[in-house]
Amino acid sequence: MTLKVHNTATRSLQAFEPLEAGIVRVYGCGPTIYNHAHIGNFRTFLFFDLVHRYLDWSGYEVRFVMNLTDVDDKVIESAVESGITITEKTTPFGEAFLADSSTLGIRPAESYPRATDYIGAMVDFVQRLVDGGHAYPADDGAVYFSIASFAEYGRLKGIDTSTLKVGARVSHDQYDKEDARDFALWKAATAEDEQVEAAWDSPWGRGRPGWHLECSVMSIAELGETLDMHLGGEDLVFPHHENEIAQSEAATGRPFVRHWMHGRHLFVEGKKMAKSLGNFITLRELLDEGHDPAAIRHLLISSHYRGDLNFTRQGLEASGSALQRLLDFESRLKGLAVDAGADPSGLATIASEAVESFRGAMDNDFNSADALAVVFGFVSSVNAALDAHPAVIAADRDAALAALHSMDEVLGLLEVASASRVVDDDLAAYVEQKIQERSEARANRDFATSDAIRDELTGKGIVLEDGPDGTRWKVG
Ligand code: AMP
Ligand code: ZN
């Protein structure tokens, strides 16, 4: 079996082959960091993570880069509303995004380029397009890409551009395919841009980059002129990725991306989850409600990335149960008393067959739904085998555990579950220590200290209950 991936550009499954043997260069369009990412965004970033982890698991050297958009129309609008600069706006949300990603077990990228660190390279890139006859400065102070200069414009989305009006322009970052027009590579600075420090010098006067330009410049700077894979949510096909292809190929004269991959959007109670619809749920909200990040991860990867996925609390409960089944299974294997005199029970064969089926599922365009079915089928078979023959030799037990952990290197469920439980252990140790200090203070009739400790714990959401057997605590 070889890896097959669905390429949006050809609308078909293709055998995956990187440009350079053994190395995969992957660029994912990251979040715009002006507020907290919602779990729809995280469905997309978990799709990236599965790609990243599975390529790694398959033995490739993966060079995975994801940008953080820290200047665009939306960032500026939001900084203006808050009366702060774009850097003040985006810095905390960039940090929050990376923290949330780590909570969900998303492996770090090789780098997270931010657009504001690449302004010089963007200006050079625009100049190159102007020099090559693919872009022109207009009387509004902006520089536009001339889509008439790029014959393949519209191919990715599959739109017929033969009827488009030459020279008609659009200056917003976001627009529909009906508005396919010359788009802004560089925009003239407005008073508001200056106010939020989103303006730089350029040969065309003070201005700032357009959003589409950012990804072309950063991906080429970090990974080279031809990428093996470029990932994003389905809404990015047009105009974002269409424009990226046009700019990049017009500038370099080389194919920009070998495989375009797009993830389907998450729905919530039957509607697309979107900031604009106000029906979005952030990761933090779910964690505050007490949901396990591993269960959230399970839910968000439980459907193939191109398949439908509808978020419901009920679905999240079901994911919690699935996760518990996996944890119980791991404990059962770890706790098995091995018996050197037992007959080989066939667990090693079940284990190696499971790993092969898992590979088959993931090779089929990263089908995590099928891969999860393989894992849970494995759990059932091994449980049934152990019920029938509880005595196993060490080699059988070890093979089953190794298979479970190997598949989890891609799925990351046990990994996230154990990471979040370690945090709980740390918290427990901290609270126990504080309770001890408080009892000592009370024994010394130092009530100021004992009250201060109680307040400190209350501030962290810990409720103390003093009883006859000492002090008990819970998360309130
Ligand atoms: P943004 O921060 O809006 O630039 O979005 C970051 C990424 O999340 C993009 O790749 C979007 O396609 C993706 N995205 C936005 N909404 C959803 C959704 N409901 N489900 C899945 N991905 C989404
Ligand atoms: Zn992008």
Side-chain angles (χ1 to χ4, degrees):
M1 274 290 281
T2 47
L3 174 61
K4 288 202 249 25
V5 304
H6 183 268
N7 187 351
T8 309
T10 58
R11 290 147 189 85
S12 63
L13 280 183
Q14 290 177 347
F16 174 71
E17 217 186 300
L19 191 60
E20 192 179 331
I23 302 182
V24 190
R25 292 177 171 80
V26 191
Y27 183 88
C29 284
T32 309
I33 45 176
Y34 69 103
N35 55 18
H36 287 298
H38 59 63
I39 56 168
N41 301 131
F42 279 113
R43 177 183 190 195
T44 294
F45 301 129
L46 282 167
F47 146 52
F48 295 6
D49 188 50
L50 284 176
V51 170
H52 187 172
R53 282 172 177 257
Y54 186 63
L55 290 171
D56 209 8
W57 192 84
S58 305
Y60 288 108
E61 179 190 330
V62 189
R63 299 209 41 211
F64 180 72
V65 171
M66 186 170 86
N67 70 303
L68 301 178
T69 299
D70 65 351
V71 53
D72 77 349
D73 293 353
K74 288 184 289 187
V75 171
I76 292 171
E77 193 185 326
S78 159
V80 169
E81 267 172 28
S82 308
I84 54 179
T85 66
I86 52 166
T87 309
E88 287 163 346
K89 172 61 78 178
T90 57
T91 302
F93 287 114
E95 281 165 14
F97 173 73
L98 296 179
D100 285 354
S101 298
S102 149
T103 303
L104 285 176
I106 294 176
R107 288 223 181 128
E110 169 182 311
S111 68
Y112 296 98
R114 287 165 200 247
T116 55
D117 290 331
Y118 282 82
I119 301 294
M122 291 179 198
V123 169
D124 292 347
F125 202 90
V126 176
Q127 187 65 58
R128 197 161 153 194
L129 288 169
V130 172
D131 293 346
H134 292 288
Y136 58 92
D139 48 15
D140 60 0
V143 182
Y144 289 89
F145 184 87
S146 157
I147 62 175
S149 77
F150 186 73
E152 314 226 309
Y153 193 86
R155 280 250 175 114
L156 182 66
K157 179 75 181 174
I159 48 178
D160 175 13
T161 53
S162 61
T163 55
L164 295 182
K165 210 169 134 230
V166 174
R169 299 181 210 137
V170 53
S171 64
H172 296 299
D173 285 337
Q174 314 266 9
Y175 52 88
D176 295 330
K177 73 181 189 330
E178 291 66 38
D179 283 321
R181 296 171 194 207
D182 289 358
F183 58 91
L185 298 164
W186 184 261
K187 309 188 193 198
T190 63
E192 289 188 329
D193 295 347
E194 293 287 0
Q195 179 197 321
V196 299
E197 297 182 10
W200 292 267
D201 289 328
S202 83
W204 315 283
R206 298 278 292 168
R208 62 171 175 101
W211 170 47
H212 312 298
L213 178 73
E214 300 178 2
C215 286
S216 285
V217 172
M218 293 189 288
S219 60
I220 290 174
E222 301 250 342
L223 293 170
E225 293 178 347
T226 300
L227 313 173
D228 292 307
M229 290 179 175
H230 192 128
L231 318 176
E234 60 183 352
D235 59 321
L236 300 188
V237 176
F238 188 90
H240 190 53
H241 290 158
E242 193 78 59
N243 292 355
E244 282 192 37
I245 296 172
Q247 299 154 168
S248 305
E249 299 193 355
T252 69
R254 291 173 196 271
F256 177 45
V257 171
R258 293 163 64 82
H259 302 275
W260 282 101
M261 296 170 68
H262 294 96
R264 193 136 163 60
H265 271 192
L266 179 69
F267 279 57
V268 56
E269 315 289 351
K271 285 209 180 76
K272 193 176 272 207
M273 181 173 293
K275 284 172 194 153
S276 55
L277 294 179
N279 64 349
F280 62 91
I281 303 169
T282 63
L283 176 65
R284 278 146 198 257
E285 284 170 290
L286 293 181
L287 297 177
D288 287 347
E289 286 173 23
H291 292 290
D292 186 335
I296 301 169
R297 180 173 171 104
H298 176 274
L299 179 66
L300 293 175
I301 65 172
S302 64
S303 174
H304 181 217
Y305 74 90
R306 287 190 290 116
D308 291 340
L309 181 60
N310 186 29
F311 175 87
T312 60
R313 308 261 161 187
Q314 217 178 3
L316 190 51
E317 297 299 327
S319 283
S321 309
L323 181 71
Q324 194 54 50
R325 186 163 158 72
L326 219 49
L327 286 164
D328 292 345
F329 178 64
E330 187 190 36
S331 311
R332 181 175 194 185
L333 288 180
K334 281 185 173 165
L336 273 185
V338 292
D339 175 352
D343 289 333
S345 59
L347 289 196
T349 312
I350 298 178
S352 65
E353 283 172 0
V355 172
E356 277 326 294
S357 305
F358 177 85
R359 188 191 304 280
M362 291 300 289
D363 271 346
N364 185 18
D365 193 29
F366 305 95
N367 197 325
S368 54
D370 288 351
L372 278 167
V374 169
V375 171
F376 284 97
F378 171 65
V379 172
S380 300
S381 312
V382 174
N383 275 334
L386 290 175
D387 292 344
H389 300 284
V392 292
I393 54 170
D396 271 337
R397 180 201 57 189
D398 295 349
L401 259 179
L404 178 67
H405 290 152
S406 172
M407 295 186 283
D408 198 63
E409 275 171 37
V410 178
L411 299 175
L413 299 172
L414 294 170
E415 181 187 309
V416 171
S418 66
S420 61
R421 280 158 185 74
V422 169
V423 170
D424 288 348
D425 289 349
D426 285 352
L427 177 69
Y430 159 82
V431 176
E432 298 294 349
Q433 165 74 24
K434 288 287 163 192
I435 288 177
Q436 175 69 27
E437 286 171 21
R438 180 168 167 270
S439 324
E440 282 163 19
R442 284 181 4 142
N444 295 332
R445 306 193 62 76
D446 176 1
F447 296 114
T449 304
S450 74
D451 286 350
I453 293 173
R454 178 190 279 273
D455 290 348
E456 181 184 335
L457 291 172
T458 307
K460 292 188 156 54
I462 308 293
V463 180
L464 300 185
E465 283 163 12
D466 294 316
D469 310 324
T471 306
R472 301 200 309 167
W473 64 277
K474 63 177 190 200
V475 180

